Amino acid sequence: MSELTRADVLELLAGLGDREVDAERIDSMELAWFVHQVEQRFGVEFDDTRLDRIRTVTDAVAVLNETLRVAGENETLRVAADG
């Protein structure tokens, strides 16, 4: 999977409703929505440490990509171990 972009994160946030396109900060309701969307779409969860780092759209992009990368690495290791 290629890295997700700012546009991808904004698309996830857009499902909550009206949002200023140039807004950088993510409020608590948007964060809850974002986490829900990520869990549904990608089947991954944020640990508390990663979740605490999300304050802005830029943060969300970085943390989401990091989380997906780690989940992919863990899946590869699990498959190899089961192999």
Side-chain angles (χ1 to χ4, degrees):
M1 170 184 284
S2 61
E3 289 222 343
L4 297 173
T5 65
R6 181 180 183 82
D8 296 318
V9 169
L10 291 173
E11 179 185 331
L12 290 169
L13 291 170
L16 184 58
D18 292 335
R19 183 171 206 283
E20 291 183 35
V21 175
D22 60 349
E24 177 64 11
R25 301 240 359 117
I26 295 177
D27 67 27
S28 59
M29 181 63 82
E30 290 172 324
L31 181 58
W33 177 258
F34 175 73
V35 168
H36 172 73
Q37 291 302 303
V38 167
E39 289 174 352
Q40 294 297 310
R41 188 172 295 186
F42 301 105
V44 297
E45 294 182 11
F46 295 112
D47 61 31
D48 289 342
T49 303
R50 286 192 177 101
L51 189 59
D52 289 344
R53 292 176 26 214
I54 301 174
R55 301 272 187 262
T56 66
V57 173
T58 301
D59 297 339
V61 172
V63 171
L64 177 55
N65 281 311
E66 177 183 300
T67 302
L68 292 173
R69 189 170 34 257
V70 169
E73 290 168 1
N74 288 342
E75 180 64 19
T76 300
L77 290 173
R78 187 188 65 76
V79 169
D82 290 346

